[in-house]
Amino acid sequence: MTFDFKKQYKEFYMPKNKPEIVKIPPMNYVAVRGKGNPNVVGGDYQQAISILYAVAYTLKMSYKTDYKIEGFFEYVVPPLEGFWWQDNIKGIDYTNKDAFNWISVIRLPDFISERDFAWAVQTATKKKKIDCSSAEFLTIDEGLCVQIMHLGSFDSEPKTVALLENYLKEQGFVNDLNEQRLHHEIYMSDARKVAPEKWKTVIRHPIKEV
């Protein structure tokens, strides 16, 4: 049976639509960094997504090539994720999308090494005919976080974030958003096929005790 991260780790990908505290272990990702409005057609963000999927699927399909990855097993490519922040702003200003900094990521199985990753970047660049050199192998250790499943468009996220804030006050925690610990989103819906009011997005914030 093909391994599916969403099904095997439901606590990370399928939280309820009410806040919960969770400890996130270190995970490896294919990542591309950038700045600016993610909605610009053909912009840096959309180009980054193309690079992410090119590398991710090259690794997923590697077993059909001459390149063999030690410990490989067949798996479903995990969902697209993003870490977001804006300079000199605490939290997120959803009205100023041009000010976004972002790290777009797709999770990698633990058996993928940096050597395997380098092979995939080179192979994807050649076969997909797009420059994948901006992709990096990134390990992120989020640690203690609060998360919730947000239902609806991205512009309606502030209401859901407010639920997180109120929950943290009740539980004796505070947000720990900073330059190292970032606002995190996991996109559980295909925005091309699902109406915005039905989008499912995991919102995750780093926290610490008061």
Side-chain angles (χ1 to χ4, degrees), residues 93-104:
D93 177 4
Y94 291 84
T95 65
N96 189 8
K97 295 181 175 62
D98 290 338
F100 275 134
N101 299 283
W102 39 263
I103 308 173
S104 291

Side-chain angles (χ1 to χ4, degrees), residues 1 43 57 78 82 89 106 133 154 164-165 194 208:
M1 180 179 290
Y57 274 93
I89 295 176
I106 295 176
S133 60
F154 303 133
L164 294 180
E165 296 283 357
V194 180
K208 63 182 179 181

Side-chain angles (χ1 to χ4, degrees), residues 71-100:
F72 182 93
F73 52 77
E74 291 189 51
Y75 62 96
V76 177
V77 171
L80 177 69
E81 309 181 36
F83 293 88
W84 301 84
W85 74 101
Q86 291 157 316
D87 296 329
N88 305 315
I89 295 176
K90 185 176 182 180
I92 295 290
D93 177 4
Y94 291 84
T95 65
N96 189 8
K97 295 181 175 62
D98 290 338
F100 275 134

Side-chain angles (χ1 to χ4, degrees), residues 25-53:
M27 299 180 188
N28 297 328
Y29 300 91
V30 49
V32 177
R33 301 171 187 264
K35 294 184 177 183
N37 190 332
N39 298 322
V40 174
V41 177
D44 290 348
Y45 181 78
Q46 294 187 7
Q47 292 179 37
I49 303 308
S50 297
I51 293 169
L52 289 180
Y53 278 109

Side-chain angles (χ1 to χ4, degrees), residues 31 55 58-59 61 67 76-77 82 97 107 132 137 139 156 158 160 169 180 182 186 199:
V55 175
T58 297
L59 288 164
M61 303 306 294
Y67 186 88
V76 177
V77 171
K97 295 181 175 62
R107 185 178 178 181
C132 296
F137 184 97
T139 301
S156 66
T160 301
K169 291 177 182 178
Q180 286 74 43
L182 303 170
I186 306 175
W199 288 350

